[in-house]
Structure formats: structure tokens, C-alpha cells
Amino acid sequence: MIVKAFAKINLAINVVGKKDDGYHDLDMIMLPVDLHDSIRIEVLPSNFETYITCDDFSLEVNEYNLCSITVEKMKKKYDIDKSFRIHIHKNIPIGAGLGGGSSNAAAVINAIKTLLKLNIPYEEEIELAKSIGADVPFFLNSKPARVKGIGEDLTPIKIKNKYYVLLIKPEHGLSTKEVYQKYDELGSDNHADVDNLVKALENGEDDKLKDFMGNDLEKASITMLPTIGEIKKQLLDDGFENVLMSGSGSSVFAISTNRAMIEKEYKKLNKLGFNAFLTKVL
């Protein structure tokens, strides 16, 4: 079986508190985009070991671990006596704030559930996904949503317009843990108005998005990697209004209903040597 593991962008990340366990309570807008990894998963007899391969040698160990943890948790919880061969074909850049590792884990949950015909109640599946990683619950369905808590509280959003997305990934990535540590030191100067952002998306009020979008982690990430700020300025100078860093970075995106404008910028930045990706909101 081959499954797609989609990336995401964040139009809003507000840090609303910090829990005793170190995790931060968040209020976010997450949109799935068509950029995706492809994952081939096969069932093996129990006398084989599960093994995971990837065609991107830069894949971080923790991303391998998320898929491995997913398999082991499902085998234990559902008394599965099979093993699996998993191969990840990477398209989502690593360390980019696009959720690639979490999306891979969610895709493995969905694939195993389908291959073994498991009947898992929704709330139980969310708890399983949350135990693997904060963003994993969102990727179980990959639908536009307002996401609260540490990622487990999802409210679907109906988006009126069709959006195209230009993603720019700097050469270097960032550690999510280190970004949050820096945020705890510096705070934010880019808070989102999530309630009004939801309304603007649902009503198709593109001219209002820029006033309501925001990412509390941007200040910390730009401090750690100034290239993020430079890319953001480049996109704004080139006429895009809805520009933001995704997740904890390091990727920056422009979102627009103007496909021709997005495509023109994509070609321009590619020629300039930027690591650019052209995609759309699902």
C-alpha cells in the first residue's frame, strides 16, 4: 500500500500558556497543502522485524523514530503479531515547520488501520496520535482546522477560496524544542487574531488575512536564523501580503488566490537559487 503524507502550513500560532510538563498550550490555524511524502507500507510475517527506510539520507533520527514508535504502539495496543516494511519517499523538507515527521506517523496509523482492518474509535485514535507527537492528530484527516491544546483539540474550518502556496525553505532548519526555549526568553511581537482569521477564511475575505495572521514563534526563530526574516521581506517586497513563517520554522510561505502571481515568484526565486516549492491548500 502506498499512502500520501501531506505537509501543513500555519496561518496562526498563538502560545496561550505553558504546562507543567513543559509543553505549550496553543491556539493555531493549520491548513494541509498538496506537498507530500509518499509512504509504501507492506505487512510482513511476525518472524520478520519491522524496518524503515528513506530515500533522503538527511532524514533526522527523530523522524525515523516517530514512524517506529507508531508501529510499536499500535502493535502493543492492538495485539498485532505482524511486522512491517516501510519506505518513505521524502518531498517535504526537513526542519521546515511543515510537519513532515508527524504527517508520516499519521499516515502509518491510517495505513496499518486499513491493512489490518482495525476498527478504532475516533477519540481513541486521537489519543494514540497525541501520544506519538503533538501535530499527529491533525494529520489523521489533513483538513483545515483550528487546533488547540498541544494539538489534540481540532475544530474543522470551511475555507471559501482556493489558495495557492509558495514555500521557501532556508538551507538550515531549526529545532522545535530550541525555538520554544528561545520564545520563553523573548516572547512574541506577532500575535494572531484567530477568531477573526477563521471568519475571514470562511467568508473569503482575503484582504483581511494579513491583519489577523500571526506566529508567536517567529521572533524567536528569526533571532536564531535571520535568513527567515530576509526571505519574508523578499516576499513582502515582491507584492505578497499574506506572508508568514510556518510552525517553528524555518520555512516561510506566501498564500494567495492569484495562481499566476505565485507561479511567477516561484520561477523567479528558483532562478535566484532559493529552495522553493509550489503547492496549494487541500
Side-chain angles (χ1 to χ4, degrees), residues 42 102 126 195 204 231 264 274:
E42 302 172 61
S102 296
I126 291 291
D195 290 333
I231 293 172
K264 182 179 179 182
F274 286 87

mmCIF file of all heavy atoms in Angstrom, residues 42 102 126 195 204 231 264 274:
data_model
loop_
_atom_site.group_PDB
_atom_site.id
_atom_site.type_symbol
_atom_site.label_atom_id
_atom_site.label_comp_id
_atom_site.label_asym_id
_atom_site.label_seq_id
_atom_site.Cartn_x
_atom_site.Cartn_y
_atom_site.Cartn_z
ATOM 1 N N GLU A 42 4.183 -2.372 3.757
ATOM 2 C CA GLU A 42 3.806 -3.760 3.491
ATOM 3 C C GLU A 42 3.774 -4.532 4.795
ATOM 4 O O GLU A 42 4.586 -4.294 5.692
ATOM 5 C CB GLU A 42 4.807 -4.415 2.541
ATOM 6 C CG GLU A 42 4.957 -3.718 1.193
ATOM 7 C CD GLU A 42 6.101 -4.297 0.398
ATOM 8 O OE1 GLU A 42 6.058 -5.507 0.092
ATOM 9 O OE2 GLU A 42 7.052 -3.550 0.100
ATOM 10 N N SER A 102 5.476 14.249 11.678
ATOM 11 C CA SER A 102 4.162 13.956 12.256
ATOM 12 C C SER A 102 3.202 13.417 11.209
ATOM 13 O O SER A 102 2.407 12.516 11.472
ATOM 14 C CB SER A 102 3.578 15.227 12.889
ATOM 15 O OG SER A 102 4.377 15.666 13.967
ATOM 16 N N ILE A 126 -7.325 9.613 18.322
ATOM 17 C CA ILE A 126 -6.739 10.907 18.658
ATOM 18 C C ILE A 126 -5.757 10.762 19.816
ATOM 19 O O ILE A 126 -4.657 11.326 19.801
ATOM 20 C CB ILE A 126 -7.833 11.944 19.003
ATOM 21 C CG1 ILE A 126 -8.646 12.315 17.759
ATOM 22 C CG2 ILE A 126 -7.221 13.194 19.637
ATOM 23 C CD1 ILE A 126 -7.883 13.117 16.723
ATOM 24 N N ASP A 195 -9.836 34.270 16.045
ATOM 25 C CA ASP A 195 -11.282 34.302 15.813
ATOM 26 C C ASP A 195 -11.612 34.995 14.496
ATOM 27 O O ASP A 195 -12.394 34.481 13.675
ATOM 28 C CB ASP A 195 -12.000 35.020 16.965
ATOM 29 C CG ASP A 195 -11.981 34.219 18.257
ATOM 30 O OD1 ASP A 195 -11.893 32.979 18.183
ATOM 31 O OD2 ASP A 195 -12.040 34.837 19.335
ATOM 32 N N GLY A 204 -14.108 34.250 2.778
ATOM 33 C CA GLY A 204 -13.328 34.580 1.586
ATOM 34 C C GLY A 204 -12.835 36.017 1.559
ATOM 35 O O GLY A 204 -12.676 36.605 0.486
ATOM 36 N N ILE A 231 13.915 36.264 3.950
ATOM 37 C CA ILE A 231 13.002 35.660 2.967
ATOM 38 C C ILE A 231 11.616 36.289 3.077
ATOM 39 O O ILE A 231 10.966 36.590 2.066
ATOM 40 C CB ILE A 231 12.918 34.137 3.170
ATOM 41 C CG1 ILE A 231 14.261 33.482 2.827
ATOM 42 C CG2 ILE A 231 11.802 33.535 2.318
ATOM 43 C CD1 ILE A 231 14.343 32.013 3.180
ATOM 44 N N LYS A 264 4.813 32.951 -10.932
ATOM 45 C CA LYS A 264 5.859 33.870 -11.391
ATOM 46 C C LYS A 264 6.948 34.020 -10.329
ATOM 47 O O LYS A 264 8.155 34.007 -10.635
ATOM 48 C CB LYS A 264 5.233 35.235 -11.718
ATOM 49 C CG LYS A 264 6.233 36.258 -12.252
ATOM 50 C CD LYS A 264 5.527 37.581 -12.568
ATOM 51 C CE LYS A 264 6.533 38.621 -13.079
ATOM 52 N NZ LYS A 264 5.849 39.922 -13.349
ATOM 53 N N PHE A 274 16.916 29.993 -4.591
ATOM 54 C CA PHE A 274 16.138 29.666 -3.395
ATOM 55 C C PHE A 274 15.593 28.233 -3.493
ATOM 56 O O PHE A 274 15.318 27.735 -4.589
ATOM 57 C CB PHE A 274 14.962 30.633 -3.224
ATOM 58 C CG PHE A 274 15.353 32.003 -2.761
ATOM 59 C CD1 PHE A 274 15.726 32.986 -3.672
ATOM 60 C CD2 PHE A 274 15.352 32.318 -1.414
ATOM 61 C CE1 PHE A 274 16.080 34.253 -3.250
ATOM 62 C CE2 PHE A 274 15.702 33.583 -0.974
ATOM 63 C CZ PHE A 274 16.072 34.554 -1.897
#
